[in-house]
Amino acid sequence: MTFSEHATSRRTVLTAFAAAAAAGTPLVGQLAAAAPAFAEADPGEYPSNTALYSDPARVEGTAYSRRYRRHEKSDLKQGEKYDFPRTAILALHGGGIEIGTSELALGIAGYSPSDAAGAPVLPITYDYWMFEGLLSSGGNTALHVTSRNCDDHVALSLARSHLNVLSLHGCKYDQLGVPEPAIWPPSTDPRLAVVGGLNPAFRTALVSELTKAGFPAIDAFDPKYGTRLNDFNGSHVTNPCNLTMLGKGAQIEMTTELRQSLFDDYSSRSARAATWNGEFVKFRDACRRAIATVEAGQPIL
């Protein structure tokens, strides 16, 4: 999709939001109506999660897994108000597909990658969902479903019931096509986080916090990169990061080198779960600070 097509899609949704607000129509329903059900799948990919789940050759628990956590919230007292989940963390291509993203999703959500079913390790937790490839090395690429074609019911319900989504992805440095001096002068450090999604405030907070934590990070919408990062900017309106209650969210594309630096042993799922290191904690906490910044502007009414 070209830059102008992305812009047209965004204008279409924003126009729909304005009309919905004027008519008193729920924004989530209006977004679903405005967005196409699916975009064309990349060659060799499943056109949707539904198609993948329906393939008898792909057995859940053997070829792939799905993990999620939703936190119970209730308000049973008249005259008092309680907090509610405002942010969800997604890893659409976890496990062996875009390696390291499922462990990061757990960490940012407030859990230990080595004990996903256990007690939280941080005082504030977030809802999360992840799809993980479980095949042997090299085979997991066949399980990749383009983000804009994700139709997993839990993933979409999480996105649509939250104000914010942070979606985590992996990429290769040489796919980006951005000269090193334009990224992180004067370094040639291939660790890089490309921050996208349609929420500019969220993008700004993420770039700021990641940069302060020592991680090269750029805004995919920065005009100086032109159209080079269109495939990594998370601008499609059916990308789950943008299917929030606000119709906008954030995603981070992380180069292989960046993801590798977060683990002492990157070689396997069990090794990553057991060897996340100080860099992992720094990255995790930078993302959590960015979430806190965005949520601070979304008071409980």
Side-chain angles (χ1 to χ4, degrees):
M1 178 175 286
T2 66
F3 181 80
S4 61
E5 288 171 329
H6 281 307
T8 299
S9 296
R10 291 196 295 273
R11 286 195 296 271
T12 299
V13 173
L14 291 174
T15 300
F17 279 156
T25 305
L27 295 184
V28 171
Q30 191 65 40
L31 174 64
F38 290 102
E40 184 178 352
D42 293 334
E45 287 192 349
Y46 287 95
S48 65
N49 289 73
T50 297
L52 192 159
Y53 302 157
S54 301
D55 185 347
R58 306 298 188 189
V59 178
E60 185 163 10
T62 301
Y64 67 89
S65 68
R66 290 174 282 180
R67 287 192 280 168
Y68 71 91
R69 193 160 188 163
R70 304 192 75 159
H71 299 87
E72 182 180 359
K73 298 286 185 179
S74 61
D75 181 351
L76 304 177
K77 296 182 179 180
Q78 295 178 341
E80 294 186 26
K81 62 183 180 182
Y82 294 83
D83 201 357
F84 60 92
R86 281 172 279 181
T87 302
I89 315 299
L90 303 182
L92 305 181
H93 309 129
I97 306 172
E98 293 171 357
I99 297 173
T101 57
S102 50
E103 290 81 11
L104 269 175
L106 288 168
I108 296 170
Y111 297 88
S112 168
S114 61
D115 186 19
V121 295
L122 296 173
I124 297 175
T125 57
Y126 302 102
D127 293 350
Y128 66 79
W129 180 91
M130 64 186 73
F131 175 91
E132 299 178 283
L134 303 180
L135 298 174
S136 59
S137 178
N140 287 292
T141 55
L143 303 175
H144 185 281
V145 175
T146 301
S147 298
R148 63 185 182 271
N149 287 343
C150 175
D151 66 342
D152 183 276
H153 292 176
V154 178
L156 295 186
S157 68
L158 272 182
R160 288 169 171 152
S161 62
H162 287 72
L163 298 176
N164 316 299
V165 160
L166 175 57
S167 187
L168 304 169
H169 297 271
C171 65
K172 295 181 179 179
Y173 183 83
D174 58 9
Q175 291 177 308
L176 300 174
V178 179
E180 288 88 346
I183 296 174
W184 198 248
S187 173
T188 57
D189 189 349
R191 299 177 308 144
L192 182 64
V194 178
V195 181
L198 294 180
N199 189 330
F202 206 168
R203 294 200 311 269
T204 297
L206 285 164
V207 170
S208 175
E209 293 295 344
L210 288 170
T211 301
K212 287 190 291 186
F215 299 100
I218 60 174
D219 187 331
F221 288 86
D222 191 322
K224 69 183 175 184
Y225 303 118
T227 61
R228 289 173 177 159
L229 298 175
N230 278 6
D231 290 338
F232 303 92
N233 67 12
S235 66
H236 202 281
V237 294
T238 62
N239 185 321
C241 81
N242 297 318
L243 291 178
T244 66
M245 294 173 69
L246 301 176
K248 57 186 180 181
Q251 72 169 36
I252 307 176
E253 291 272 5
M254 297 166 284
T255 61
T256 303
E257 293 80 5
L258 173 56
R259 286 174 282 128
Q260 287 175 333
S261 73
L262 307 180
F263 305 90
D264 293 331
D265 187 346
Y266 186 72
S267 64
S268 69
R269 181 179 177 185
S270 60
R272 291 189 300 275
T275 66
W276 48 283
N277 57 29
E279 292 297 290
F280 180 98
V281 173
K282 285 165 57 179
F283 194 97
R284 176 199 72 185
D285 291 350
C287 291
R288 287 174 63 88
R289 287 193 298 271
I291 292 170
T293 296
V294 172
E295 290 190 347
Q298 300 166 333
I300 305 170
L301 302 178

